[in-house]
Amino acid sequence: MVSRVIPVDPFDLVIFGGTGDLARRKILPGLYRRFLAGQMTDDSVIIGAARSELDDEGYREMVAKAVIEFTPKDKLDRDGLTRFLAHVRYISVDGKVSGGWEKLKEVVRQGVVKAFYFSVAPSLFGELAEKLHRHGIADAESRIVVEKPFGRDLASARALNRVLADHFAEEQIYRIDHYLGKETVQNLMAVRFANILFEPLWKAEYIDHVQITVAETVGVDGRGAYYDKSGAMRDMVQNHLMQLLCLIAMEPPYHFDPNAVRDEKLKVIRALDAVQPDDIVRGQYLAGNGQGSYVEHSEDPNSRTESYIALKCHVSNWRWKGTPFYLRTGKRLRARTSEIAVVFKEPPHTLFDDATGWRENVLVIRLQPNEGMELSVMIKEPGPGGMRLKQVPLDMAFATALGAEAADVPDAYERLIMDVIRGNQTLFMRGDEVEAAWAWADPIIQGWEARGDKPQGYDPGSSGPEDALMLMHRDGRRWRDIRE
Ligand code: NAD
């Protein structure tokens, strides 16, 4: 079975910051793979736009290097790369000065989908948006793609929204959260809303709690000074973990339509209670395993920024009253893994004498590695030894279940860029969603800043600070193991 690839309309995609890290690691290799898959039509053009003085040939060389470096060897097709490069151009422009913009105007065509990817620092968004309009390059049909971080608090996110809104309508703005482009995340919606099996149980009456974990093994070395201004709450929880929480907790939208889905996500964020200080644990990794500590990497011995956070929150609505959501994310942890675990309650009555083997049903949605889902159920332990219970997984690893089709699954950036060209905003954050998430996060951050809370140290390669274990233990629950 081979997945169906439907070509998108012809487009001109301008990548501001086309020589930057994100463009080289994700955007350009992603476009190359969509080109090879036949999704990008032969009359589409990718235009790198950045400050460096390069010509088309010089940029193509850079793109070729990036594609080779960031494409798995078995997926690299050299002839395909040569054909892809014929669609790549370069214009030198500076968002801060006027040079280069008239040239860009000559290159960008009329009559095709026009998309402008702002893969640059957010401080440039306003100037890029304004110049695209002043020079008559963008029109009412054009789309812009903006990257995280979308603000560092509610005030700055509002200011960014206002700047973009001066030149573009909300329907033209695509705020990327690459977690939403992951196959499993969309599958979560399919599993919830295309089956009758789960939805009747999807409520506080049957769900004990939900755990969302995004664990990384890397530290912040190399970009510590930058990360230190952000921390795990701003960098991960306010956006990625919040989006996952929304997809788990939202009501069924009336249709799989961008605004219908985003309306339901927004209602979840607005229903979140304020998080109590006792329900938050922040951590910083210590030195170990031959690596430096967080404070060494951040170059600030007094840094109070967290490289780890765990918190418990509540969605105060009819469906979820009483079911806690535990979120945790951190760096330098035991394994690189992202998962959502929906832990069900015990059956109301035990009819088996030997229930020692009993464990709760858990639906695990794995985002990485090995994207897939696993539902643990109780069965009878095989053999003649009476009625003993045993927990077994019903495992649906996509790679096994779908074979070759799963191998062709586009990565998050590929899918999201194609969605921009198609004009489908379902998997992008709306301005009001981002603001609501900051309105929830701001008081939490302000609280620990006002109290002067210091993060707790944790060993590299561990599961995080001791207090994070206690956050669960005191509720009579435990975190799932962090493992690949
Ligand atoms: P980078 O520093 O590697 O690249 C920045 C790019 O912007 C370069 O191409 C540079 O030439 C261009 N640029 C800088 N000033 C300019 C100006 N005045 N006019 C025109 N172009 C200019 O940055 P990056 O890591 O590629 O990140 C780009 C954006 O994406 C940032 O907002 C970042 O927060 C976001 N982001 C990056 C990653 C990542 O993995 N790198 C992940 C998520 C989000």
Side-chain angles (χ1 to χ4, degrees):
M1 215 173 14
V2 178
S3 60
R4 275 183 308 141
V5 173
I6 302 167
V8 293
D9 288 338
F11 63 84
D12 277 3
L13 171 65
V14 179
I15 309 172
F16 290 106
T19 56
D21 177 66
L22 183 68
R24 287 187 300 106
R25 277 192 313 112
K26 290 286 180 190
I27 305 172
L28 292 160
L31 285 162
Y32 161 72
R33 286 195 290 272
R34 289 299 90 208
F35 173 79
L36 286 188
Q39 198 156 25
M40 178 178 152
T41 56
D42 252 346
D43 45 359
S44 293
V45 181
I46 296 156
I47 303 151
R51 278 184 308 185
S52 315
E53 291 294 337
L54 288 171
D55 57 11
D56 286 347
E57 264 326 299
Y59 187 58
R60 285 181 190 134
E61 271 173 40
M62 194 218 83
V63 175
K65 273 197 201 137
V67 167
I68 292 167
E69 184 177 350
F70 296 108
T71 304
K73 290 224 166 13
D74 57 334
K75 298 253 165 77
L76 196 63
D77 166 351
R78 298 265 173 175
D79 290 342
L81 179 55
T82 307
R83 282 185 282 116
F84 173 71
L85 292 175
H87 296 266
V88 175
R89 302 204 52 184
Y90 183 80
I91 303 287
S92 172
V93 280
D94 189 325
K96 291 190 182 297
V97 297
S98 53
W101 288 89
E102 284 307 315
K103 185 84 198 299
L104 185 61
K105 182 178 178 177
E106 282 169 28
V107 169
V108 175
R109 297 169 298 168
Q110 300 299 325
V112 294
V113 174
K114 285 187 275 185
F116 302 93
Y117 201 127
F118 291 6
S119 182
V120 294
S123 55
L124 278 175
F125 289 180
E127 291 182 86
L128 293 180
E130 189 269 324
K131 287 192 173 61
L132 281 172
H133 269 274
R134 177 145 50 89
H135 293 275
I137 302 169
D139 55 33
E141 303 298 315
S142 307
R143 290 138 210 189
I144 56 167
V145 186
V146 294
E147 267 295 340
K148 86 170 210 191
F150 201 86
R152 67 182 319 277
D153 53 21
L154 178 58
S156 54
R158 271 194 184 140
L160 266 184
N161 273 336
R162 266 198 304 271
V163 158
L164 297 179
D166 281 344
H167 304 285
F168 292 92
E170 183 60 37
E171 291 67 37
Q172 298 178 276
I173 304 170
Y174 290 72
R175 293 175 195 79
I176 285 227
D177 184 319
H178 70 274
Y179 272 60
L180 291 179
K182 288 182 184 285
E183 186 73 9
T184 334
V185 170
Q186 293 163 76
N187 237 318
L188 171 59
M189 286 188 273
V191 166
R192 270 195 70 187
F193 302 131
N195 297 288
I196 192 70
L197 212 57
F198 296 107
E199 204 46 32
L201 302 179
W202 212 257
K203 50 175 122 167
E205 199 179 342
Y206 299 110
I207 294 182
D208 180 70
H209 72 281
V210 176
Q211 301 184 18
I212 303 179
T213 301
V214 176
E216 297 177 279
T217 50
V218 293
V220 300
D221 17 340
R223 56 185 201 106
Y226 165 81
Y227 183 90
D228 203 47
K229 295 194 201 80
S230 161
M233 182 72 176
R234 288 189 169 100
D235 191 47
M236 298 296 292
V237 177
Q238 182 273 344
N239 40 41
H240 305 316
L241 278 80
M242 175 65 74
Q243 289 295 321
L244 300 180
L245 185 154
C246 285
L247 296 176
I248 289 282
M250 73 181 185
E251 294 300 315
Y254 75 91
H255 190 246
F256 193 57
D257 157 276
N259 278 328
V261 170
R262 296 184 303 174
D263 285 346
E264 296 307 333
K265 280 161 52 193
L266 178 63
K267 286 183 209 162
V268 173
I269 305 174
R270 291 198 171 142
L272 280 169
D273 284 347
V275 178
Q276 300 308 312
D278 282 354
D279 290 337
I280 307 168
V281 177
R282 295 162 68 237
Q284 271 181 352
Y285 59 81
L286 302 168
N289 301 343
Q291 311 266 6
S293 65
Y294 177 82
V295 287
E296 287 168 61
H297 290 156
S298 70
E299 297 164 26
D300 176 2
N302 301 314
S303 170
R304 293 190 171 189
T305 304
E306 73 286 353
S307 62
Y308 174 100
I309 186 165
L311 57 84
K312 176 166 82 164
C313 55
H314 291 275
V315 180
S316 259
N317 62 17
W318 198 306
R319 186 187 283 262
W320 294 115
K321 194 73 194 166
T323 295
F325 287 73
Y326 297 91
L327 317 184
R328 66 177 162 166
T329 180
K331 300 197 177 289
R332 276 266 195 280
L333 295 177
R334 176 170 295 149
R336 176 171 178 260
T337 176
S338 302
E339 65 165 42
I340 305 167
V342 179
V343 182
F344 289 86
K345 288 188 173 168
E346 11 180 321
H349 168 67
T350 311
L351 60 136
F352 302 109
D353 292 336
D354 179 13
T356 47
W358 185 85
R359 299 280 177 279
E360 59 276 270
N361 298 123
V362 184
L363 176 68
V364 178
I365 299 118
R366 279 193 311 267
L367 277 68
Q368 67 186 21
N370 312 323
E371 283 198 59
M373 296 198 193
E374 185 183 292
L375 176 66
S376 59
V377 291
M378 297 310 299
I379 60 160
K380 175 192 165 297
E381 196 176 277
M387 183 57 104
R388 282 202 298 269
L389 299 178
K390 182 180 169 66
Q391 190 184 43
V392 291
L394 289 179
D395 194 349
M396 193 176 72
F398 294 154
T400 324
L402 302 174
E405 207 178 351
D408 281 345
V409 166
D411 96 346
Y413 273 92
E414 294 173 50
R415 176 191 314 278
L416 293 173
I417 296 171
M418 291 299 109
D419 278 356
V420 172
I421 307 300
R422 286 195 198 96
N424 186 341
Q425 289 185 305
T426 310
L427 301 175
F428 296 83
M429 295 179 295
R430 211 168 52 191
D432 51 4
E433 262 186 90
V434 179
E435 290 187 15
W438 278 122
W440 171 80
D442 269 6
I444 301 175
I445 298 170
Q446 285 157 5
W448 72 56
E449 283 175 354
R451 292 189 301 274
D453 290 356
K454 277 176 77 172
Q456 197 183 21
Y458 62 93
D459 288 327
S462 70
S463 299
E466 280 293 312
D467 284 359
L469 303 181
M470 293 312 297
L471 180 72
M472 278 282 202
H473 282 183
R474 64 170 202 229
D475 292 348
R477 301 182 174 107
R478 56 187 296 271
W479 291 106
R480 288 168 50 80
D481 288 344
I482 293 181
R483 60 185 157 83
E484 284 192 5

